[in-house]
Amino acid sequence: MGMRRSALALALVGMLSIAPSAHAAEGQAYAAAMTYATPVVALGKGDTLKFTNFDTLAQHDLAADDGKFASDLVGAGQSSMVRGVETLPPGAYPFHCTLHTWMRGVVNVAPVGTGSNAPPTSNDLTGVGAGNAAPDPIDLTPQAEVQKLGDGEWPFYGRDIFNTRDGGKAGPTPAQASSLGPVWSYFSPKGDFTGTPVVAQNTLVAGTNQGWVHALNATTGKVKWTRNVRAPVNGTAAIDGDLVIVPVAQTHSPRVVALDLTTGRTVWDQVIDEQKDGDVYGSPTVFDGTVYMGVSALFGETGDPEVNVRGSVVALDRRTGRPKWKTYIVPDGHDGGSVWTTPAVDPATRRVYVGTGNAYHAPAANTTDSIVALDADSGGIVDHFQATAGDVWNGTENIVGAGPDYDFGASPQLFTGPGGRRLIGEGQKSGTYWALDRETMDPVWSAMTAPPGIFIGGIIGSTATDGDRIYGPDTVGGEQWAIDENGGYSWLSSDGGPLHFNATSVANGVVYNTDMTGHLNARDAATGLILNKIPLGSPSWAGVAIAGGSVFTATGTQGSSGYLVAYRPRTGIGNGGNANEGDEPRSERVRRGECVPDERVQRGKARRVKTAAQRRAAKR
């Protein structure tokens, strides 16, 4: 099975839903790899909760510390309703596993049901989502001043067609990272954000899991437009010239939609696959007038024992959306090979590179669990490297195969190794980061960076590279790591934490990631030491974009609401100034929940919000 966010990028992102959707009355909680994969569970008052154990190592349950709710003790692949949560009043309720005392978490119950209430009948989003209990990120850290963005953009999931996830010099320095403060925040009441915000032409774009695409002024957070694409956006959009290219995870008929960057008007809307259970979980890359996008099968893999989707890569005309070619990863008569990853493109050789997942049923084709090179113009498979042969697995209750589930879920990236050797690198769920010769597709080196494991092991979140090192996550250990571009180990973080599915980013000597504890982490790229740990207020699987001196991220785990937020260094801190660390400078705050009703494109309005000190003075 393959994972993204970037990312994952990331089939597990779809399953490990910390917050239920606005249209479901049943929340979900999971255990895997001797831990709770959902240590924070958000419910509305009256919602029910289902606990599923994906851990092949032991039985687990979910029991309240105060005895108010409990599930049955269940084994691998089994589920149990958590009895008693539906009667809980609003509040926070710690829970644990009765067999493994280190496994702990908390259920947060909001005053208004996130799923039991009927969905709104109007497309007007204003005021929707009043049940959101998560704090606004802008209230949690001293603010920074609004400043015009400088040079640098982040238009794709991987920042560039090489998928480096490197913002270069467009980000704060390590000295400035310790003073990062929120400039603006933006609240979405119609779904949260699990992709990486993209930024170009002073416009930030991000989509929600309820299908709303938001375009904001990247400097101020002011709404430019919103658009309902009518199905989840669980990946990352791409900005290319005057177009926003959006992946739409419409099960059985996934789509790619192009919107006008200025107005949000739909330019084209193209279905890219019609297989039963087919969907998308990666993000598009645009090169030389062509949009490249992978096809996967998240919901089939996790819910249909008869899933037989063949993963593929699709090339669309950037101007019209018409298909140029479509290449299936596995031959007819086989299944699997899902492309969870975001394609990387080598313009010199005109090759497109993707990672692929396991087979769902035997026999597994030799292009599963592989890094595949395709001709950018014809779509023909030029070459491939298979890291794990014979991997047959699916995540349903009737598991057909017992393969190791060693997909390539982290996206591939192109970089130059020692001696100028042109390499393609990609992290696998086996915990191995592979570096191949880009021409021959033969391994040059590999490094074990994280423990392997079925479903959530190894490397799931996409990695970043800045020309000195490669940076990535250890999913189960909740750690970050760095290796040099010859495969030698540089550092491994010692903080640990919940599972790290999240994509990693780097810019100007600082490594960034979000995590399920609800923090934005900034580390020194050379040493791995924490420079800043900024509270976001709720768990996040979102990626981090760095552009124009600002750092952009989001909150979201496929719940009913979430935030976009921008950070900059606070004036005078980390720049030789004398500002007091506890001071809260004046800032223009944007906390808009207003979106465009009936898909009409309107200009949103920012509002100036007083600082905390000014609000307190006004109350006196």
Side-chain angles (χ1 to χ4, degrees):
M1 175 179 169
M3 307 299 176
R4 100 129 35 230
R5 100 28 212 186
S6 221
L8 153 189
L10 300 170
L12 180 59
V13 172
M15 289 202 65
L16 302 185
S17 181
I18 289 183
S21 75
H23 300 281
E26 182 178 271
Q28 302 290 331
Y30 301 93
M34 301 300 287
T35 189
Y36 285 119
T38 46
V40 181
V41 180
L43 299 175
K45 183 179 179 182
D47 286 351
T48 60
L49 179 63
K50 184 179 181 180
F51 171 66
T52 302
N53 181 18
F54 286 110
D55 198 337
T56 59
L57 301 175
Q59 290 184 312
H60 299 297
D61 59 5
L62 191 155
D65 289 1
D66 59 7
K68 291 183 178 178
F69 55 85
S71 73
D72 293 334
L73 194 64
V74 293
Q78 297 179 325
S79 299
S80 169
M81 297 304 296
V82 183
R83 299 173 298 277
V85 295
E86 66 278 3
T87 65
L88 296 173
Y93 301 89
F95 62 79
H96 63 279
C97 174
T98 57
L99 292 183
H100 310 98
T101 56
W102 67 85
M103 292 177 55
R104 305 195 64 82
V106 62
V107 171
N108 289 323
V109 179
V112 178
T114 58
S116 56
N117 295 335
T121 57
S122 169
N123 284 329
D124 187 350
L125 307 186
T126 305
V128 178
N132 178 70
D136 188 328
I138 206 167
D139 292 327
L140 303 178
T141 307
Q143 296 173 28
E145 296 284 352
V146 172
Q147 297 180 38
K148 182 179 178 180
L149 293 191
D151 295 334
E153 296 184 334
W154 194 291
F156 301 150
Y157 168 77
R159 196 274 176 180
D160 46 44
I161 62 173
F162 309 113
N163 276 343
T164 63
R165 296 192 64 86
D166 176 18
K169 299 298 183 182
T173 66
Q176 294 171 324
S178 62
S179 68
L180 286 173
V183 178
W184 55 259
S185 66
Y186 172 85
F187 175 67
S188 162
K190 290 289 282 185
D192 63 5
F193 306 92
T194 55
T196 299
V198 288
V199 181
Q201 302 176 49
N202 198 36
T203 301
L204 178 147
V205 178
T208 76
N209 70 85
Q210 292 185 25
W212 285 86
V213 182
H214 303 256
L216 312 179
N217 182 303
T219 298
T220 66
K222 181 180 179 179
V223 181
K224 291 188 172 183
W225 51 261
T226 65
R227 177 64 58 183
N228 186 359
V229 295
R230 307 184 308 280
V233 180
N234 51 30
T236 298
I239 300 176
D240 183 68
D242 59 350
L243 293 184
V244 176
I245 313 295
V246 183
V248 182
Q250 182 170 294
T251 309
H252 316 306
S253 55
R255 297 151 44 218
V256 177
V257 177
L259 307 175
D260 184 272
L261 178 62
T262 303
T263 66
R265 175 183 61 88
T266 300
V267 178
W268 51 260
D269 188 336
Q270 179 66 50
V271 173
I272 63 171
D273 193 80
E274 294 183 339
Q275 299 177 88
K276 178 178 177 287
D277 296 323
D279 57 24
V280 294
Y281 222 95
S283 305
T285 299
V286 187
F287 165 69
D288 196 19
T290 303
V291 178
Y292 299 97
M293 183 71 203
V295 172
S296 53
L298 167 66
F299 294 103
E301 180 172 288
T302 58
D304 182 1
E306 302 303 320
V307 58
N308 63 357
V309 169
R310 296 162 68 198
S312 66
V313 180
V314 178
L316 307 175
D317 184 273
R318 178 245 185 230
R319 183 176 57 86
T320 65
R322 292 173 183 157
K324 291 186 174 183
W325 52 257
K326 180 174 185 176
T327 299
Y328 289 100
I329 295 299
V330 300
D332 193 16
H334 296 72
D335 62 20
S338 280
V339 179
W340 312 100
T341 58
T342 298
V345 181
D346 184 342
T349 59
R350 300 189 70 83
R351 288 186 178 185
V352 177
Y353 298 89
V354 297
T356 70
N358 54 259
Y360 302 134
H361 302 87
N366 67 1
T367 45
T368 56
D369 288 2
S370 297
I371 303 174
V372 179
L374 303 96
D375 184 279
D377 300 305
S378 69
I381 294 179
V382 178
D383 203 348
H384 77 281
F385 163 73
Q386 186 175 45
T388 305
D391 187 2
V392 179
W393 190 91
N394 72 65
T396 66
E397 292 185 2
N398 300 312
I399 294 178
V400 177
D405 184 25
Y406 282 174
D407 302 40
F408 282 96
S411 293
Q413 51 197 186
L414 309 182
F415 59 93
T416 301
R421 194 166 189 178
R422 291 157 48 83
L423 302 179
I424 174 171
E426 187 168 3
Q428 189 185 8
K429 287 180 63 186
S430 63
T432 304
Y433 186 93
W434 295 91
L436 315 180
D437 184 285
R438 217 182 296 176
E439 297 292 334
T440 66
M441 298 296 286
D442 293 328
V444 176
W445 54 261
S446 63
M448 179 67 74
T449 64
I454 288 179
F455 196 59
I456 61 168
I459 308 168
I460 293 175
S462 290
T463 54
T465 180
D466 59 3
D468 294 321
R469 286 167 289 271
I470 297 132
Y471 312 92
D474 167 359
T475 306
V476 174
E479 298 168 321
Q480 294 290 122
W481 49 261
I483 53 179
D484 64 36
E485 295 195 342
N486 199 27
Y489 294 96
S490 296
W491 52 259
L492 175 69
S493 70
S494 59
D495 49 328
L499 303 177
H500 273 194
F501 318 119
N502 313 49
T504 301
S505 302
V506 66
N508 209 11
V510 182
V511 177
Y512 299 92
N513 75 289
T514 59
D515 63 34
M516 290 174 63
T517 68
H519 288 87
L520 167 64
N521 304 305
R523 301 177 189 275
D524 182 86
T527 65
L529 295 176
I530 282 283
L531 301 172
N532 205 340
K533 196 173 184 70
I534 303 170
L536 294 170
S538 56
S540 175
W541 289 334
V544 180
I546 306 99
S550 289
V551 177
F552 303 92
T553 193
T555 63
T557 55
Q558 295 191 324
S560 60
S561 60
Y563 286 94
L564 293 165
V565 59
Y567 295 89
R568 289 186 74 89
R570 298 195 297 280
T571 303
I573 302 178
N575 296 288
N578 297 315
N580 189 319
E581 184 73 22
D583 290 345
E584 183 178 43
R586 291 174 298 173
S587 175
E588 182 176 310
R589 294 176 55 184
V590 181
R591 299 170 55 183
R592 301 299 294 169
E594 297 181 3
C595 300
V596 179
D598 304 322
E599 296 192 39
R600 294 190 301 271
V601 179
Q602 300 177 0
R603 184 60 57 88
K605 295 182 179 179
R607 61 187 174 98
R608 187 176 297 274
V609 180
K610 296 178 180 179
T611 65
Q614 289 171 323
R615 291 197 301 268
R616 289 192 295 269
K619 291 179 180 179
R620 294 192 182 102

